[in-house]
Amino acid sequence: MTALEVTGLVKRYAGRAVVDGLSLVARPGTVLALLGPNGAGKTTTVEVCEGFRTADEGTVRVLGLDPRDPALRPRVGVMPQSGGAYPGLRCGEMLRLVASFSARPLDPGMLLERLGLVEVEGTAYRRLSGGQQQRLSLALAVVGRPELVFLDEPTAGLDPQARHATWELVEALRADGVSVVLTTHLMDEAERLADDVVVVDGGQVVAAGTVAELTRGGAIGQLRFRATPGLDVDQLLNALPEGCAAKESPAGQYLVEGEMDPQVLAAVTAWSAGQGVMATDLRVESRTLEDVFLDLTGRELRS
Amino acid sequence: MTTWTPGSLAPSPGAAPVPAMLRAQTLAELKLVLRNSEQVLLSLVIPLGLLVLLVTVPFIAVDGVDSRAGRADFFVPGVLALAVMSTAFTGQAIGVGFERQYGVLKRLGATPLPRSVLLGAKTLAVLAVEVLQVVAISLVGLALGWDPQGSVPAVLVLVVLGTTAFSGLGLLLGGTLSGLTTLAAANLVWFVLLVLGGVLFPLSAFGGAQDVLALLPTAALSTGLRDVLQDGAGLPLRETAALAVWAVGSLAAASRLFRWE
């Protein structure tokens, strides 16, 4: 059984498809990241899966059930993108209230401690900082010991310490067999946490796979260096292993693309020695998830 | 921050028993009401203040009444109706409006708490506040010379029907408008019904309009309570019917139009 299975999901607002034929599968006990720019349809997709919105087309199965099935409520934890607590209740009161809805909740005191909320346990929700509200929201999502957790931009607006605490919780959930579906536009977050990444843009899946699969595709690696302008690139190309490309662009900056291995590096240094030049700033880069993301979703700013 | 003990987050889902959920949610609702100073002002301070003022300072003439005790007999039922309206309608509408705006109802919808239990908890919290109000208003009223007549069951029927009608209207308003719009609208309606609902003035002050005004929920409740508590009548039919119609109509509309976010 899958933790989450979305097939051909379409969701329209005022006739415009915000989610347009999206399909994905989350495997049990793994972390799936929905990665995409703002407005890509990530939150809408997640909210259909959480049962907050109904699909216009397509099917969604959450733990094998319809997302609106009341039997799912104890089994699924939800962290919405913002809000979701009584402004007048204290941090600890809110967590204990939601814990009291579950038969075997996690110890609220332990959660508050692990998420660095002990000092603000007695502080009204409305007086918490944005980061503290986020961490409480995360605690509320997991306190009922769910099998599947939806986290919508769990680290938005968090400082580095809080972000790492959140990451550690997600990793601990995964280690304990909880399935996690999270949305993010942060590459490092997806790269660190996700078993599977689904890149979404314009309401559609533009790429899907493991982080390794996604970063391996296309131009595999790059080697850049600086040297005297106008060197004989064809000669370098002959010295390189099969399948590599080399060019000078702009003048004095050289780029070799292909599968990076020691042979490539040796060929470049031997060639530059043969030319009697010193290659400087030489560095080998592999594609990051960010490169993949920007290649897929474009580099222009979104409105 | 420490690392997580392996297994400490292992899934073990399950809903708590309904009575436990109902108890926890009711206590939370009560805490929220009693901590909210505007709500306490609206539910307790204003009704009590008005009662003392209306009874002791005779600036509003009541037909055929010239004693303080007689004024208390006239005004206590109206202030009781005001108190029910303040809690069940105004307070609940504003509360629900902001809970929707803050995403609280959406979030609670994603927990094991069933919506029926949430609504049950809200109702219990309203009833608990009303008990407080009735006790406080009765004590102050008695101190001012109030001499209640009539039967307790008739009063209870009227209060429960009034609470249901006002809750339905409050959920309808708070469940469809934004938090701030609800705040404005609920306070406006509260004030209009305070003036036109037989709380401050007898309905006879409005001449030919009184037959229509008598059908407003506040007027029906205040007049009905006055018939019983002041005149010792049994359950007044017209007022009871009016409240029942408001209750059924508002709850039906609320259940169709209520939005959880």
Side-chain angles (χ1 to χ4, degrees):
Chain A
M1 194 189 67
T2 57
L4 171 67
E5 195 166 347
V6 177
T7 314
L9 175 65
V10 176
K11 180 70 191 174
R12 295 186 198 89
Y13 291 126
R16 197 176 68 90
V18 178
V19 179
D20 194 4
L22 183 145
S23 301
L24 60 84
V25 171
R27 297 174 285 144
T30 65
V31 177
L32 176 99
L34 272 175
L35 182 66
N38 292 330
K42 305 186 297 286
T43 295
T44 303
T45 301
V46 166
E47 293 204 334
V48 171
C49 299
E50 291 164 348
F52 291 136
R53 314 199 178 287
T54 48
D56 289 324
E57 285 173 38
T59 56
V60 177
R61 304 307 278 176
V62 179
L63 300 170
L65 298 171
D66 182 274
R68 300 214 155 204
D69 193 327
L72 280 177
R73 297 286 75 87
R75 299 175 65 192
V76 175
V78 168
M79 174 183 180
Q81 206 170 85
S82 64
Y86 289 108
L89 281 192
R90 298 177 183 126
C91 175
E93 287 175 341
M94 186 69 209
L95 183 56
R96 289 191 170 86
L97 174 64
V98 172
S100 72
F101 302 153
S102 291
R104 294 166 296 278
L106 296 176
D107 175 14
M110 181 271 291
L111 267 179
L112 291 170
E113 188 204 318
R114 294 294 166 89
L115 290 169
L117 292 169
V118 172
E119 272 133 66
V120 292
E121 187 177 345
T123 305
Y125 177 79
R126 64 170 176 274
R127 297 194 202 289
L128 298 180
S129 72
Q132 289 162 344
Q133 292 185 348
Q134 285 278 93
R135 278 177 276 158
L136 173 60
S137 188
L138 182 65
L140 294 173
V142 302
V143 71
R145 305 186 72 149
E147 293 164 56
L148 168 64
V149 182
F150 289 102
L151 308 174
D152 198 357
E153 306 221 344
T155 60
L158 291 187
D159 61 28
Q161 286 81 5
R163 175 169 305 165
H164 278 273
T166 302
W167 287 352
E168 280 167 19
L169 174 53
V170 171
E171 284 163 350
L173 286 167
R174 180 181 175 277
D176 283 343
V178 180
S179 312
V180 180
V181 174
L182 60 89
T183 72
T184 183
H185 53 253
L186 302 173
M187 311 300 147
D188 55 343
E189 187 158 289
E191 215 155 5
R192 165 156 177 182
L193 295 178
D195 296 290
D196 296 296
V197 176
V198 174
V199 184
V200 181
D201 195 24
Q204 297 179 322
V205 174
V206 291
T210 63
V211 173
E213 282 166 3
L214 285 175
T215 52
R216 200 162 56 222
I220 295 155
Q222 296 180 329
L223 184 155
R224 294 171 190 275
F225 62 95
R226 289 167 185 274
T228 326
L231 296 176
D232 188 349
V233 176
D234 287 339
Q235 206 186 339
L236 170 60
L237 207 48
N238 288 334
L240 287 167
E242 193 80 13
C244 285
K247 63 176 179 181
E248 180 184 3
S249 169
Q253 293 184 28
Y254 296 84
L255 170 67
V256 176
E257 287 183 316
E259 194 165 341
M260 288 301 130
D261 59 22
Q263 302 302 320
V264 175
L265 193 58
V268 168
T269 49
W271 168 79
S272 53
Q275 301 275 328
V277 297
M278 178 71 185
T280 59
D281 276 351
L282 189 147
R283 57 186 199 276
V284 180
E285 296 165 343
S286 61
R287 259 160 67 103
T288 63
L289 197 52
E290 185 147 5
D291 295 323
V292 178
F293 181 74
L294 291 174
D295 285 349
L296 289 167
T297 61
R299 286 172 194 268
E300 75 276 17
L301 284 175
R302 305 301 174 103
S303 57
Chain B
M1 266 164 250
T2 43
T3 52
W4 295 86
T5 315
S8 59
L9 299 170
S12 183
V18 165
M21 285 194 263
L22 185 64
R23 184 174 154 274
Q25 185 63 28
T26 305
L27 283 175
E29 301 271 355
L30 260 181
K31 260 185 217 165
L32 287 163
V33 171
L34 297 177
R35 266 182 206 164
N36 183 330
S37 49
E38 288 95 345
Q39 184 115 26
V40 172
L41 188 72
L42 197 70
S43 294
L44 272 174
V45 180
I46 290 179
L48 287 175
L50 261 180
L51 179 61
V52 172
L53 194 72
L54 289 166
V55 172
T56 55
V57 188
F59 60 97
I60 294 171
V62 182
D63 299 340
V65 170
D66 46 15
S67 69
R68 176 187 280 194
R71 295 177 68 81
D73 289 344
F74 177 82
F75 283 116
V76 169
V79 168
L80 285 173
L82 174 71
V84 170
M85 171 170 77
S86 299
T87 300
F89 170 71
T90 316
Q92 197 157 221
I94 295 169
V96 166
F98 279 104
E99 282 164 21
R100 281 173 54 239
Q101 183 160 332
Y102 294 136
V104 181
L105 295 187
K106 184 175 169 182
R107 146 84 71 184
L108 292 181
T111 69
L113 180 75
R115 285 174 174 181
S116 55
V117 177
L118 175 64
L119 290 178
K122 286 191 174 297
T123 307
L124 285 180
V126 165
L127 291 175
V129 173
E130 285 182 358
V131 168
L132 261 177
Q133 291 174 301
V134 168
V135 168
I137 290 167
S138 300
L139 288 177
V140 171
L142 290 172
L144 293 169
W146 178 45
D147 180 21
Q149 310 293 315
S151 78
V152 172
V155 170
L156 277 182
V157 168
L158 287 168
V159 167
V160 166
L161 269 181
T163 302
T164 314
F166 281 124
S167 292
L169 291 170
L171 293 175
L172 181 61
L173 194 65
T176 51
L177 304 178
S178 77
L180 276 176
T181 316
T182 303
L183 180 69
N187 280 316
L188 182 70
V189 170
W190 180 87
F191 184 74
V192 169
L193 290 180
L194 167 69
V195 175
L196 301 181
V199 178
L200 292 183
F201 314 98
L203 286 180
S204 57
F206 299 99
Q210 62 176 301
D211 286 338
V212 179
L213 293 181
L215 300 175
L216 291 173
T218 316
L221 184 56
S222 64
T223 311
L225 287 174
R226 203 165 281 136
D227 285 351
V228 177
L229 289 167
Q230 188 181 18
D231 306 331
L235 194 62
L237 277 184
R238 185 178 69 160
E239 283 73 17
T240 308
L243 289 175
V245 169
W246 279 105
V248 171
S250 63
L251 282 178
S255 67
R256 283 178 68 92
L257 301 172
F258 193 91
R259 294 198 306 264
W260 292 84
E261 55 177 300

